[in-house]
Amino acid sequence: MTDDAPELRASDADRERVAEVLRDALAEGRLDMAEFEERLEATYQARTYGELAPITRDLPVAGGAPAPSVSLVKEPAGSGSWAGRIVGGEGTSTWGVAVMSGFQRKGRWTVPKRFTCFAFWGGGEIDLREANFADREVEINCIAIMGGMNVVVPPGVEVVVRGIGIMGGFDHREEGVPGDPGAPRVIVSGFAFWGGVGVERKLTRAERKRLKEERRKGKLERKAAMRDLHASFHEDVAEAHRKMVEGHRDFVRDLHEERREKRRRLED
């Protein structure tokens, strides 16, 4: 964790890296459940690097190394193509646990070839909308016991559900939707006992914002087109009325001229 600029705002990815260190420490017995929950709550409430730094200062990561620093150099945003989002490697996080609590994997993270998560009287969210992928095909193994999990995938990703529900269920609504060429394939496996695993397809915030902006622009353009149409209509009506008045004036003038001509002929 960096101490160079404690006042800088931390990102969701920064908080998630700290949360991962806490989960490892819980699994290794370095933290009891009360300490874990207290630090995890502080992690997700932290807004700056200075607030995140003390949370893992006394904890090593897996392998006994010191806790990692949070990089102040942000990763560039992906190009948006699927080829650019299948990056290889081991993945940012390989597991998640929620025991009478919750966990999240969201934002810009790398999904490993196999991600395993467990929820007991708790819940978890695995959001893949902005994620990169370690492989063309990844598996998310969900074990939900009296708990629930939700897997969120972006449009274009193929979803295969192989989970088993015992007095519980797996969501199959997104299965069978063909994926985009080159898009990753996500397999959701595991089992749910008195619990459930949901799978839903959502747009990213940026995509929703873009579509909303396009709809707003389209609405403004339609309003402008209607104003132009109304203005054109009023101009056409005004022009027709002007021509009608001029025609009537010409008719009256010609009529008067014809009568004067008749009177002159009679006088002669």
Side-chain angles (χ1 to χ4, degrees), residues 22 55 60 67 79 97 144 152 158-159 165 190 192 208 215 224 245 247 252:
L22 295 178
I55 297 174
S79 64
V97 175
V152 183
E158 181 186 0
V159 176
R208 289 203 306 270
R215 287 195 296 268
V245 170
V252 171

Side-chain angles (χ1 to χ4, degrees), residues 137 139 160-164 170 172 175 185 187-191:
E137 180 175 288
E139 181 178 356
V160 177
V161 180
R162 296 176 180 169
I164 299 173
F170 269 73
H172 288 258
E175 192 173 25
R185 186 171 186 247
I187 299 173
V188 182
S189 61
F191 71 92

Side-chain angles (χ1 to χ4, degrees), residues 52-265:
L52 281 177
I55 297 174
T56 56
R57 185 166 284 157
D58 60 342
L59 297 174
V61 295
S69 297
V70 173
S71 173
L72 297 181
V73 180
K74 300 305 177 185
E75 298 177 3
S79 64
S81 67
W82 290 116
R85 293 178 63 176
I86 301 175
V87 297
E90 298 298 322
T92 304
S93 173
T94 58
W95 61 282
V97 175
V99 179
M100 293 183 289
S101 62
F103 74 87
Q104 284 185 324
R105 296 293 184 276
K106 61 187 295 187
R108 193 166 296 281
W109 65 296
T110 301
V111 186
K113 292 182 180 180
R114 181 179 174 87
F115 180 85
T116 301
C117 47
F118 174 79
F120 175 72
W121 277 16
E125 181 183 16
I126 304 101
D127 192 334
L128 310 182
R129 288 177 291 175
E130 298 179 4
N132 293 323
F133 298 82
D135 197 71
R136 171 72 175 74
E137 180 175 288
V138 298
E139 181 178 356
I140 298 177
N141 185 41
C142 301
I143 301 171
I145 300 176
M146 291 183 287
M149 296 182 199
N150 195 42
V151 180
V152 183
V153 299
V157 170
E158 181 186 0
V159 176
V160 177
V161 180
R162 296 176 180 169
I164 299 173
I166 301 174
M167 291 184 288
F170 269 73
D171 191 348
H172 288 258
R173 288 177 298 175
E174 297 301 332
E175 192 173 25
V177 178
D180 292 342
R185 186 171 186 247
V186 177
I187 299 173
V188 182
S189 61
F191 71 92
F193 177 71
W194 279 15
V197 176
V199 181
E200 59 180 331
R201 198 178 301 270
K202 288 184 178 180
L203 296 171
T204 63
R205 291 187 182 93
E207 185 67 12
R208 289 203 306 270
K209 185 176 180 180
R210 184 185 66 81
L211 292 176
K212 183 178 180 180
E213 183 64 19
E214 286 183 356
R215 287 195 296 268
R216 187 185 70 84
K217 287 182 178 178
K219 187 175 181 180
L220 291 176
E221 288 173 357
R222 287 193 296 272
K223 284 184 176 179
M226 288 300 295
R227 284 196 300 269
D228 291 343
L229 180 62
H230 289 160
S232 177
F233 173 75
H234 288 310
E235 288 176 0
D236 291 344
V237 169
E239 179 66 16
H241 182 263
R242 183 183 63 79
K243 290 181 178 180
M244 182 184 69
V245 170
E246 289 179 352
H248 179 69
R249 187 182 301 119
D250 292 341
F251 171 76
V252 171
R253 185 173 59 250
D254 292 343
L255 182 61
H256 286 316
E257 184 65 28
E258 182 179 351
R259 288 177 177 174
R260 283 196 296 269
E261 183 65 26
K262 286 182 177 179
R263 280 198 298 272
R264 282 197 297 270
R265 286 200 299 267

